[in-house]
Amino acid sequence: MKNAFATTALAAMLSMGTLAGASAMPAVNAPAADTASTAKVELVGHRGHNNAQRGHHRIMPRHVIKRHLHRQGFRNIRNMRLVRGDYVLLARGYRGPVRLVVDGRSGRVLSRHVLRGGHRPGFVFRGGNGNFSYSFGIR
């Protein structure tokens, strides 16, 4: 059934002239058949063969990532290392020391992990002797 329908549709198009007009157009500036078969065409991106530049974005240098994080409010940026295209580092955020994973191509913070609690309001009394210890706090 499908073949009969496809054959009928093709015959209708040919009879209306939609496909016949396209095939009857003269070829202007057509290359010779022998030059087209012998020429090797290699499709290469606009950046060439260099694999380091092949992606949409390259990995940003460390100082650019540091400047980007500094503008976001992170201070004391240290232990910056590149792991599979992402920078892993330690910094000081507004909640205390944090471990950051930053995308090396965009500079976006992918994950943030607070290492210690930082400053907690209130006070705590701790004490004890050799056998007994106590802790009392108001938060």
Side-chain angles (χ1 to χ4, degrees), residues 19-135:
L19 293 178
S23 62
M25 293 182 75
V28 180
N29 296 333
D34 57 5
T35 60
S37 63
T38 59
K40 288 187 176 181
V41 177
E42 182 179 356
L43 299 176
V44 177
H46 70 281
R47 294 183 187 235
H49 290 290
N50 190 356
N51 286 333
Q53 297 178 353
R54 206 171 271 240
H56 180 68
H57 292 88
R58 290 186 289 179
I59 294 176
M60 290 193 276
R62 292 173 192 253
H63 66 86
V64 174
I65 297 287
K66 269 187 164 181
R67 185 180 334 131
H68 187 71
L69 291 172
H70 194 56
R71 288 179 182 163
Q72 290 181 16
F74 293 103
R75 302 292 184 254
N76 194 16
I77 299 167
R78 62 197 183 280
N79 294 350
M80 183 180 260
R81 58 196 179 277
L82 186 65
V83 178
R84 289 188 292 267
D86 297 332
Y87 284 103
V88 179
L89 55 104
L90 299 175
R92 177 107 182 136
Y94 72 94
R95 293 189 297 179
V98 291
R99 178 182 176 265
L100 298 175
V101 178
V102 180
D103 185 19
R105 291 163 188 84
S106 67
R108 188 174 57 118
V109 176
L110 298 176
S111 74
R112 176 181 309 153
H113 176 55
V114 179
L115 296 177
R116 288 183 290 248
H119 176 71
R120 294 178 61 184
F123 59 91
V124 176
F125 293 111
R126 290 189 180 101
N129 57 16
N131 297 332
F132 175 76
S133 66
Y134 64 91
S135 174

